[in-house]
């Protein structure tokens, strides 16, 4: 009895393809289960090379901002031979450097200027509805931190890494009216205007 080679080939080739599709579906399901509540923004990806005896070895660096858009944000920098691995390393580093940003009705409590290396970034409060008036790197940090209304100005280097770290330095310098009153040892009414006190109380209530 003759054996049909085409049927055997189809059966052999069909089995691994279906198995591969099943594995892909399982991977997608695992990714959906592992979705984190944090927002990830890739600010900058750069290709770097190292000259060795056999030639050049290329790798990639990634600058990522991670935040929950509710006052918590962090910045990470990762390096790897592939872009996804570099981004994953940067995300892990950003989660280790989380800090809390004081906010008053979607904006910052007071003007502040942050400096890191050659980067200088100025942040000023804005009225509701203004939006985030900022460039790409600064905007990524502020949006991930949950700041919706703010005016910004870059006064130093235009390098994305310097701008991001200067923005982080500025946000870490922010203090809420309650923190300032506690540090000075005075009542809250003597430190901040009544409007800001009402706005901060509304923010805490929300």
């Amino acid at each position: 009895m003759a054996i049909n080679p085409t049927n055997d080939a189809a059966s052999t080739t069909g089995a691994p393809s279906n198995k591969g599709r099943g594995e892909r579906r399982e991977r997608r399901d695992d990714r959906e289960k592992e979705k984190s509540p944090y927002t990830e923004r890739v600010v900058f990806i750069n290709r770097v090379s190292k000259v060795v005896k056999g030639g050049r070895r290329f790798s990639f660096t990634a600058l990522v901002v991670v935040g929950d858009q509710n006052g918590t944000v962090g910045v990470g920098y990762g390096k790897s031979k592939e872009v996804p691995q570099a981004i994953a390393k940067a995300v892990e580093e950003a989660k280790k450097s989380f800090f809390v940003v004081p906010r008053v009705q979607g904006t910052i409590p007071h003007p502040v200027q942050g400096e890191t290396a050659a980067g200088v970034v100025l942040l000023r409060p804005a009225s509701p509805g203004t939006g985030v008036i900022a460039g790409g790197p600064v905007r990524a940090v502020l949006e991930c931190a949950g700041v919706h209304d703010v005016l910004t100005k870059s006064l130093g280097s235009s390098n994305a890494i310097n701008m991001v770290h200067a923005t982080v330095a500025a946000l870490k310098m922010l203090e809420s009216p309650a923190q300032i009153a506690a540090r000075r040892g005075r009542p809250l009414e003597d430190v901040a205007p009544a409007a800001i006190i009402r706005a901060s109380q509304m923010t805490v209530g929300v």
Side-chain angles (χ1 to χ4, degrees):
M1 182 176 178
I3 300 175
N4 189 357
T6 57
N7 293 335
D8 295 338
S11 61
T12 55
T13 56
S17 63
N18 294 333
K19 184 178 180 181
R21 292 177 181 175
E23 291 178 354
R24 291 177 183 175
R25 290 175 183 174
E26 291 177 359
R27 291 176 184 175
R28 290 178 182 176
D29 294 339
D30 293 338
R31 290 176 183 175
E32 291 178 358
K33 292 179 182 179
E34 294 177 357
K35 280 185 178 178
S36 64
Y38 300 108
T39 301
E40 302 175 2
R41 294 283 297 273
V42 179
V43 179
F44 182 72
I45 294 178
N46 187 29
R47 189 183 74 171
V48 296
S49 62
K50 179 181 180 181
V51 179
V52 296
K53 186 176 180 180
R56 293 183 178 179
R57 293 182 182 177
F58 294 98
S59 59
F60 297 90
T61 61
L63 180 64
V64 179
V65 180
V66 181
D68 62 352
Q69 296 185 348
N70 194 25
T72 303
V73 67
V75 177
Y77 190 75
K79 180 179 179 181
S80 180
K81 294 182 179 179
E82 297 181 1
V83 174
Q85 295 179 359
I87 295 176
K89 289 182 179 180
V91 170
E92 293 299 324
E93 183 180 347
K95 290 181 180 180
K96 295 178 182 178
S97 62
F98 276 156
F99 65 96
V100 179
V101 179
R103 298 170 301 151
V104 177
Q105 284 192 335
T107 189
I108 57 178
H110 55 84
V112 67
Q113 179 173 308
E115 299 183 11
T116 300
V120 181
V121 174
L122 174 65
L123 307 180
R124 296 182 64 88
S127 58
T130 303
V132 180
I133 309 301
V138 180
R139 175 184 292 271
V141 178
L142 295 173
E143 288 182 349
C144 289
V147 180
H148 304 298
D149 304 297
V150 65
L151 301 173
T152 69
K153 179 66 177 178
S154 177
L155 305 175
S157 171
S158 61
N159 182 275
I161 299 176
N162 290 338
M163 292 176 66
V164 167
H165 286 292
T167 305
V168 170
L171 293 177
K172 288 183 177 180
M173 294 169 60
L174 291 174
E175 291 183 300
S176 64
Q179 292 175 340
I180 297 174
R183 177 165 53 83
R184 295 182 180 179
R186 299 180 64 87
L188 185 61
E189 292 77 10
D190 296 345
V191 174
I196 295 180
I197 295 175
R198 288 196 301 269
S200 60
Q201 291 176 351
M202 291 174 60
T203 303
V204 172
V206 174

